């Protein structure tokens, strides 16, 4: 029997399941991209899942042995090459494993035959595998390759839009599959104190059942099992290799399932923050402005036209043009506290001011432009400039520059006019007045004490309705400009502010009794860097592993890889 027929026999009844594997190559696929002849990133993901999902567990024997079938173990003068290193899988810590050519050939056979099987199922809608493949969404994109001809002579388009041969496409998929499976296999062994974990009883039973079926097929054709596997899967893929790779795939799958929901903390060093500072100078710059959002452009133009060159009437105009309602008028009457904004471009981008609106909201985030923010953070800005941009009026207090001061450690006690602070803006004038009176009484109690941080913390634990700081005595550490609500933020960073200062400010949640605990040792720029890099940043453990482990192909070993059907030999 020809190798092609034996190949078909081995994989004809392959059961296909999606284990959800994802290769590094697909971490940022071009969404919706579909190649002209190849397959999309999403489909490639499923194909690699199929390849790495361990083994075929069903076998349909449909061929009869012919005189071409060889008996006994296949002896080849090139059999020694299957022990050569094909790929080295290594992580950042130096843990590594050498994968032999025989393993590459095992994965090549799985990849090649899964692609071929997809094509055949698409051409035969009534086949058993067709329904399953359609359920997995694998028949949406046809495999435009002729498996009766050399894959090296046919082209397709990969996920990056590059035109490559089908031979190269299959090669890339094989390397990705080996890298992924061995990433989780190595991690599983490492997590098990260097010992290979046991597979489940069910998995062991599946493996033995599959090999038993293959053995029956091999005997039918006059083969020993190893010879049969070599004939249909390539040089070196003996029973021992098949069993080893199946077990390792099971182990990899088990470990990935075990850690799939685990998250890990990424800690950053001072070197990381310094590097971020150098590479993101513009992101760290802050502007200090007085800002007002009018109800419409007409009011904004009128506001800008009436504003004095020194902004001395900014508060008066804010109250005048504020929306009707007790809260709005009260909020804007607090001098600059409610209209002063100090923050980075990223902070403004997330604000509700019209000056921060994208020029074209329909574009993807990475393609959006912001004319208003470009103006605001331009190096051409000067103190005292006035700008009306749509509904926004801006007065420049300090143009964009990297902040020189440190962050602060601040304590506060929130007193709300409503039981639920999120409903405070709906409170009546009487309720706001009562809340303000209570805030003043709490501050009086503090002033009657020794006025230490501990005294304030005790009052916070008793009176504050802020669940985020109640247990810490009202404390928020390493607060940088723009991190807190506007009035809270502006009080913290007012000129001349020093440790021990107290005060009361109003926000949409209520009144905040303020106490500057101390200046943080963290520079404001570093606080911004920490916020971006986030020392408590978490990622899925699977993502970190796939970043840590990499595959390197051995050039000499690659000379003996399975390439195509017999046509290419």
């Amino acid at each position: 029997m020809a190798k092609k027929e034996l190949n078909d026999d081995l994989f004809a009844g392959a059961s296909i399941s999606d284990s959800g594997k994802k290769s590094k190559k697909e971490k940022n696929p071009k969404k919706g991209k579909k190649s002209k002849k190849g397959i999309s990133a999403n489909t490639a993901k499923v194909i690699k899942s199929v390849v790495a999902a361990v083994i075929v567990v069903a076998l349909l024997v449909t061929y009869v042995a012919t005189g071409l079938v060889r008996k006994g173990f296949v002896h080849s003068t090139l059999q020694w090459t299957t022990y050569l290193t094909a790929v080295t899988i290594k992580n950042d810590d130096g843990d590594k494993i050498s994968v032999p050519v025989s393993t590459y050939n095992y994965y090549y056979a799985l990849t090649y035959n899964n692609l071929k099987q997809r094509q055949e199922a698409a051409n035969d809608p009534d086949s058993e595998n067709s329904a399953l493949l359609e359920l997995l969404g694998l028949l949406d994109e046809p495999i435009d390759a002729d498996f009766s001809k050399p894959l090296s002579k046919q082209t397709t388009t990969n996920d990056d839009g590059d035109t490559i041969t089908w031979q190269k496409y299959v090669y890339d998929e094989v390397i990705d599959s080996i890298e992924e499976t061995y990433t989780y296999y190595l991690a599983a062994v490492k997590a098990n104190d260097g010992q290979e974990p046991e597979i489940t009883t069910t998995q062991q039973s599946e493996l033995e059942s599959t090999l038993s079926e293959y053995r029956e097929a091999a005997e039918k054709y006059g083969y020993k099992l190893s010879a049969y596997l070599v004939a249909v899967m390539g040089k070196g893929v003996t029973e021992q290799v098949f069993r080893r790779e199946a077990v390792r795939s099971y182990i990899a799958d088990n470990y990935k399932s075990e850690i799939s929901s685990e998250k890990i903390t990424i800690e950053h060093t001072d070197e990381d923050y310094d590097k971020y500072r150098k590479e993101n100078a513009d992101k760290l710059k802050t502007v200090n402005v007085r800002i007002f959002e009018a109800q419409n452009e007409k009011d904004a133009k009128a506001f800008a036209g009436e504003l004095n060159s020194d902004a001395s009437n900014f508060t008066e105009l804010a109250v005048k043009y504020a929306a009707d309602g007790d809260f709005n008028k009260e909020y804007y009457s607090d001098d600059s506290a409610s209209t002063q904004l100090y923050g980075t471009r990223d902070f403004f981008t997330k604000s509700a001011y019209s000056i921060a609106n994208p020029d074209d909201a329909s574009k993807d985030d990475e393609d959006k432009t912001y004319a208003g923010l470009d103006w605001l953070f331009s190096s051409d800005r000067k103190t005292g400039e006035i700008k009306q941009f749509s509904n926004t009026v801006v007065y420049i207090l300090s143009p964009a520059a990297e902040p020189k001061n440190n962050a602060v450690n601040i304590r506060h006690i929130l007193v709300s006019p409503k039981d639920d602070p999120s409903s405070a803006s709906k409170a009546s004038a009487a309720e706001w007045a009562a809340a303000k009176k209570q805030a003043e009484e709490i501050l009086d109690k503090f002033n009657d004490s020794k006025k230490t941080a501990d005294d304030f913390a005790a009052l916070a634990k008793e009176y504050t309705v802020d669940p985020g700081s109640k247990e810490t005595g009202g404390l928020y550490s390493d607060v940088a400009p723009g991190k807190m609500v506007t009035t809270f933020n502006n009080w913290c960073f007012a000129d001349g502010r020093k440790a021990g200062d107290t005060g009361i400010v109003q926000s949409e949640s209520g009144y905040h009794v303020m106490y500057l605990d101390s200046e943080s040792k963290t520079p404001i720029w570093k606080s911004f860097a920490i916020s971006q890099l986030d020392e408590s940043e978490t990622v899925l453990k699977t993502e970190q592993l796939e970043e840590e482990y990499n595959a390197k192909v051995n050039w000499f070993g690659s000379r003996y890889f399975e390439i195509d059907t017999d046509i290419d030999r």
Side-chain angles (χ1 to χ4, degrees):
M1 176 177 291
K3 179 174 179 179
K4 176 182 181 300
E5 292 176 322
L6 289 170
N7 234 10
D8 290 343
D9 196 17
L10 179 59
F11 292 95
S15 66
I16 300 178
S17 64
D18 181 9
S19 65
K21 289 186 179 293
K22 183 178 184 182
S23 75
K24 294 179 189 176
K25 178 180 176 182
E26 297 157 1
K27 282 191 174 178
N28 294 299
K30 296 179 180 178
K31 295 181 180 179
K33 179 177 178 59
K34 186 179 290 188
S35 64
K36 296 178 181 177
K37 294 184 179 180
I39 57 180
S40 72
N42 288 338
T43 300
K45 171 183 175 181
V46 179
I47 290 298
K48 282 194 280 292
S49 298
V50 172
V51 170
V54 187
I55 54 174
V56 185
V57 294
L59 176 67
L60 299 180
V61 179
T62 57
Y63 296 99
V64 179
T66 70
L68 296 176
V69 176
R70 294 165 290 181
K71 299 180 184 297
F73 188 79
V74 176
H75 294 284
S76 169
T77 57
L78 293 179
Q79 198 65 29
W80 64 271
T81 62
T82 62
Y83 299 103
L84 291 173
T85 296
V87 181
T88 299
I89 309 296
K90 184 177 180 180
N91 71 0
D92 297 338
D93 295 329
D95 301 323
K96 65 179 181 179
I97 189 170
S98 296
V99 178
V101 171
S102 56
T103 295
Y104 176 92
N105 292 343
Y106 168 88
Y107 277 91
Y108 179 88
L110 293 179
T111 304
Y112 180 94
N113 282 280
N114 270 296
L115 289 170
K116 184 169 179 288
Q117 189 178 39
R118 274 192 60 213
Q119 186 192 63
E120 292 172 348
N123 294 334
D124 182 7
D126 297 325
S127 70
E128 177 184 355
N129 284 328
S130 179
L132 184 56
L133 288 165
E134 185 173 9
L135 182 64
L136 293 173
L138 295 178
L139 296 185
D140 297 338
E141 302 163 44
I143 302 298
D144 190 8
D146 187 343
F147 289 93
S148 67
K149 297 178 180 179
L151 296 186
S152 58
K153 308 299 182 184
Q154 304 173 62
T155 60
T156 185
T157 306
N158 66 11
D159 299 339
D160 297 323
D162 300 325
T163 298
I164 58 175
T165 65
W166 266 105
Q167 176 182 314
K168 178 64 165 59
Y169 184 91
V170 175
Y171 167 86
D172 289 342
E173 297 297 297
V174 172
I175 296 300
D176 280 353
S177 296
I178 292 172
E179 180 178 16
E180 182 173 3
T181 298
Y182 272 83
T183 287
Y184 291 104
Y185 169 74
L186 275 172
V189 171
K190 186 175 183 179
N192 196 44
D193 297 325
Q195 300 298 312
E196 190 174 85
E198 297 288 335
I199 61 175
T200 68
T201 302
T202 299
Q203 290 168 339
Q204 186 64 52
S205 177
E206 286 178 352
L207 174 56
E208 296 304 330
S209 176
T210 298
L211 287 172
S212 177
E213 290 182 84
Y214 288 172
R215 188 173 287 107
E216 289 179 12
E219 291 173 357
K220 183 174 182 178
Y221 299 133
Y223 273 94
K224 296 294 184 182
L225 178 56
S226 287
Y228 179 75
L229 292 172
V230 168
V232 298
M233 296 189 76
K235 292 188 296 294
V237 189
T238 62
E239 177 185 352
Q240 178 184 11
V241 170
F242 189 100
R243 185 182 294 275
R244 179 188 71 211
E245 297 308 322
V247 168
R248 288 180 176 180
S249 292
Y250 272 132
I251 290 171
D253 261 13
N254 293 344
Y255 188 67
K256 183 173 185 180
S257 295
E258 179 185 331
I259 66 170
S260 60
S261 60
E262 288 185 28
K263 293 184 177 182
I264 56 176
T265 298
I266 297 213
E267 296 182 357
H268 300 288
T269 65
D270 285 340
E271 287 74 17
D272 293 330
Y273 299 130
D274 288 336
K275 181 180 179 182
Y276 183 88
R277 182 185 190 184
K278 292 177 182 177
E279 295 177 351
N280 299 273
D282 287 342
K283 290 184 178 180
L284 296 176
K285 290 180 178 178
T286 59
V287 293
N288 193 0
V289 300
R290 292 202 70 175
I291 191 166
F292 178 79
E293 186 75 1
Q295 298 181 73
N296 50 62
E297 284 196 39
K298 180 181 177 181
D299 284 355
K301 287 180 180 178
F303 187 114
E306 296 173 38
L307 183 60
N308 295 336
S309 60
D310 62 357
S312 56
N313 62 337
F314 201 101
T315 300
E316 175 188 332
L317 292 174
V319 172
K320 175 181 177 180
Y321 288 100
D324 292 335
D326 294 326
F327 170 77
N328 292 303
K329 300 295 183 181
E330 177 75 13
Y331 180 77
Y332 284 113
S333 67
D334 187 16
D335 197 34
S336 65
S338 60
T339 58
Q340 186 171 325
L341 216 57
Y342 179 34
T344 63
R345 183 181 176 114
D346 181 64
F347 167 74
F348 277 89
T349 301
K350 296 174 182 177
S351 74
Y353 293 97
S354 298
I355 196 171
N357 289 342
D359 302 326
D360 185 349
S362 66
K363 290 185 177 181
D364 292 336
D365 287 345
E366 63 269 20
D367 296 326
K368 287 177 181 175
T369 55
Y370 299 82
L373 295 183
D374 289 344
W375 177 88
L376 185 59
F377 282 85
S378 169
S379 59
D380 295 333
R381 297 287 68 77
K382 306 294 182 187
T383 297
E385 284 190 73
I386 298 172
K387 178 73 171 179
Q388 178 260 321
F389 196 98
S390 185
N391 290 21
T392 306
V393 179
V394 175
Y395 180 88
I396 303 293
L397 293 172
S398 299
E402 182 183 288
K404 303 301 181 184
N405 299 330
N406 286 0
V408 296
N409 300 319
I410 186 75
R411 293 182 186 271
H412 85 124
I413 298 169
L414 175 60
V415 179
S416 179
K418 291 287 189 181
D419 292 337
D420 179 4
S422 65
S423 302
S425 61
K426 299 177 182 178
S428 65
E431 289 173 317
W432 275 106
K436 186 175 184 179
K437 181 180 179 182
Q438 184 184 7
E440 291 169 342
E441 291 173 350
I442 292 172
L443 183 55
D444 288 341
K445 286 185 178 182
F446 174 72
N447 288 329
D448 289 338
S449 70
K450 293 181 181 179
K451 297 198 288 188
T452 66
D454 288 341
D455 292 329
F456 194 93
L459 290 169
K461 289 180 179 180
E462 181 178 357
Y463 293 107
T464 190
V465 294
D466 173 23
S469 65
K470 189 177 184 69
E471 295 306 315
T472 61
L475 179 65
Y476 284 103
S477 300
D478 288 335
V479 174
K483 188 174 182 180
M484 312 302 281
V485 294
T486 304
T487 49
F488 191 114
N489 175 85
N490 295 339
W491 186 91
C492 293
F493 297 100
D495 290 342
R497 184 68 66 218
K498 62 184 184 299
D501 282 358
T502 58
I504 296 176
V505 297
Q506 183 186 18
S507 76
E508 292 185 358
S509 300
Y511 286 97
H512 303 259
V513 182
M514 308 292 290
Y515 175 81
L516 185 60
D517 186 287
S518 58
E519 182 179 83
S520 167
K521 295 181 180 179
T522 305
I524 288 174
W525 73 261
K526 188 173 182 179
S527 181
F528 289 150
I530 290 172
S531 178
Q532 291 298 314
L533 294 176
D534 195 350
E535 63 184 356
S536 62
E537 177 184 358
T538 58
V539 297
L540 287 174
K541 193 170 182 177
T542 52
E543 293 177 2
Q544 188 198 45
L545 280 177
E546 291 176 10
E547 285 293 333
E548 287 182 355
Y549 285 85
N550 291 284
K552 182 178 181 181
V553 176
N554 179 277
W555 178 86
F556 186 67
S558 70
R559 302 304 92 187
Y560 300 97
F561 288 174
E562 290 289 340
I563 299 175
D564 207 339
T565 61
D566 287 333
I567 295 169
D568 266 357
R569 300 197 176 283

